[in-house]
Every structure is written in C-alpha cells, then in structure tokens.
Amino acid sequence: MLLPTVPRTRLRSADRPAVDTPFGPLTFTTTIGNTALAPPPDELFRLPADRTVARWVTPAARVELLLTPYDPTLDPETWGPLTDCRAAVWRIDALAPLGRVRFSAELPAPLPEGADSGYDGGQGLAAITVEDETTRLTVGGNDEEAICWAAEAREVPRRWAALIDEVSEHASRTWGVDYGRSPSMSWTLPPLEAGEHCELPVVAAWAPVADESANTWYAVMPSPTVVLRQVAAEAAKRADTPAPG
C-alpha cells in the first residue's frame, strides 16, 4: 500500500487519473494478463497538497497510482528553473502469480501543430521529450537496467536483480520498455509471485525550450522511494503546522 500513514479523504472516482501537461493530459493504463483495468479507479483518495492515490482491485492484484507535485531539487547554478514537475508512482501488489503486467503512460495523439517528440533515454532512464517553439516536456521512468537496480532498494522483488544479465545480453524481449508511435512508453514487468510487489516512477517535467540546460531531462530520474519520502515529509510538515486563527 502506498503511504499508509498519510491522511487521505475518499473522493468520487469517476475521472481517469492524469497529469495535465502543456501537450495534453498524460494518462496511464494498467494491463494484467490480457485485460486492461477500467480507466476510472475503484477508489480515489485525496492526500494533502494536491495529491491523489487511485486504487484498482482485482482477484489477482491490487494496483495503486499516486499523482503528486514533485521537486527534483536541481542545482540552480547548473540547471534553469522548471515551469512545473509532476510525478506518478505506480505500485502493484500481487495477490496471485502474475505472468504479465503492463503499465503505460501516454500523451494524446496527434500532437499539436508544430510539436515534435522523440526518444530521449539514457543509461538507467527511459524517456521521451516533446517540444514546440515555446515549451519542452520530458517524461521519464526506469529503463530495464534501473528496474533491476531497484531490487536493492526493495522497490521491486529482490530476485529481479539477477535479470540484469538478460538486459546486458539483450536476451529478453518478454519484459522491458517499449515506445509507441504516439508519445508513449509502456513497461512490461517480469512475472510476479503472490505476495510480491513493485513500485515504478514516471515523472513529467517541462520548461521553456529556450533553456538549454537539459533541466527537464535531469528532473525525470527519481526513484519511487524519493518521491514517496517527499510526499510523506510534506504531509508531516502540514500536520505540524497550526491552523490559522
């Protein structure tokens, strides 16, 4: 369960969770086996400071999606300021063995006139960047190597660390990151056993295209643990602040 100690308020769950970006909503889809979960979640909760957690429950899995403002704490002497930055943390708890789980993040297609998109990943980073005459948006998350490295932080099952050999040998196409024709990325996970869980981040950062400091690219490389700690710290700070009056 994501952030079990952070206070929350139940909301109506009619809307599909999304991150509003300058190029349209960044939406998310989870597929378990061959079945895509319905866009409206089974439950939706508001957390302090413009954050939400959506939850879907099936006989085989519990899926949660945190959407939150995110501060990547970029060094202002190196990188220009961001216009905004938003993070998602996707968590799946396997209630039964899961042979195939897929998570996608997608911007609407076609893009507005004058906008272009392309692959923008690097070591440990799966990313796409979209830009037009005024704005650059980068969306990023873990690539296959980073998914294996995440085992050390217990963000994914410990046994996934051994899958790094498959990545370096390019031996496996049964799991990994794929890029769609529209501005999108999809993460297909290695199989999960009952009782296992994984947490993956997706970050969207945007800034004026005139800024050449690559600030959006460096902003989209967090771990889910970093995002969750930031949310928990903000909630604790607000709880300790006396109410006005």
Side-chain angles (χ1 to χ4, degrees):
M1 181 178 179
L2 289 172
L3 299 166
T5 63
V6 174
R8 61 195 64 202
T9 304
R10 188 183 296 272
L11 302 173
R12 295 183 61 184
S13 58
D15 295 332
R16 180 177 192 168
V19 171
D20 291 327
T21 82
F23 297 101
L26 180 68
T27 57
F28 306 94
T29 302
T30 303
T31 302
I32 297 177
N34 294 317
T35 303
L37 301 185
D42 297 326
E43 298 177 287
L44 183 64
F45 303 93
R46 179 187 291 120
L47 277 60
D50 192 28
R51 295 166 168 90
T52 60
V53 171
R55 180 181 297 152
W56 296 260
V57 180
T58 77
R62 181 176 65 241
V63 177
E64 293 180 304
L65 180 67
L66 167 72
L67 299 183
T68 176
Y70 174 62
D71 180 3
T73 60
L74 299 179
D75 183 349
E77 295 186 2
T78 304
W79 293 287
L82 298 169
T83 303
D84 203 354
C85 188
R86 300 274 162 162
V89 174
W90 176 63
R91 175 174 173 129
I92 180 164
D93 288 276
L95 308 178
L98 300 176
R100 182 177 182 273
V101 178
R102 188 177 180 90
F103 178 65
S104 301
E106 183 173 9
L107 289 165
L111 289 169
E113 185 175 354
D116 292 310
S117 68
Y119 168 81
D120 201 13
Q123 186 174 18
L125 176 68
I128 55 175
T129 289
V130 183
E131 62 179 57
D132 60 14
E133 295 180 351
T134 62
T135 302
R136 179 176 64 253
L137 164 71
T138 302
V139 179
N142 289 353
D143 71 359
E144 292 87 352
E145 285 184 322
I147 289 173
C148 296
W149 298 336
E152 183 175 350
R154 306 291 182 93
E155 295 164 351
V156 304
R158 293 287 299 272
R159 60 189 179 84
W160 287 10
L163 300 179
I164 193 69
D165 292 335
E166 295 183 4
V167 177
S168 59
E169 296 171 3
H170 304 284
S172 173
R173 290 303 300 162
T174 61
W175 68 276
V177 186
D178 296 304
Y179 297 84
R181 292 183 180 179
S182 64
S184 66
M185 292 183 290
S186 295
W187 290 262
T188 301
L189 300 181
L192 286 157
E193 298 296 333
E196 291 181 334
H197 79 274
C198 70
E199 294 173 351
L200 294 176
V202 180
V203 179
W206 55 98
V209 74
D211 187 321
E212 298 180 356
S213 67
N215 51 354
T216 61
W217 195 82
Y218 281 95
V220 300
M221 294 189 286
S223 76
T225 300
V226 170
V227 177
L228 295 174
R229 283 176 180 166
Q230 194 174 103
V231 174
E234 178 65 22
K237 182 171 67 176
R238 286 172 174 265
D240 290 340
T241 301

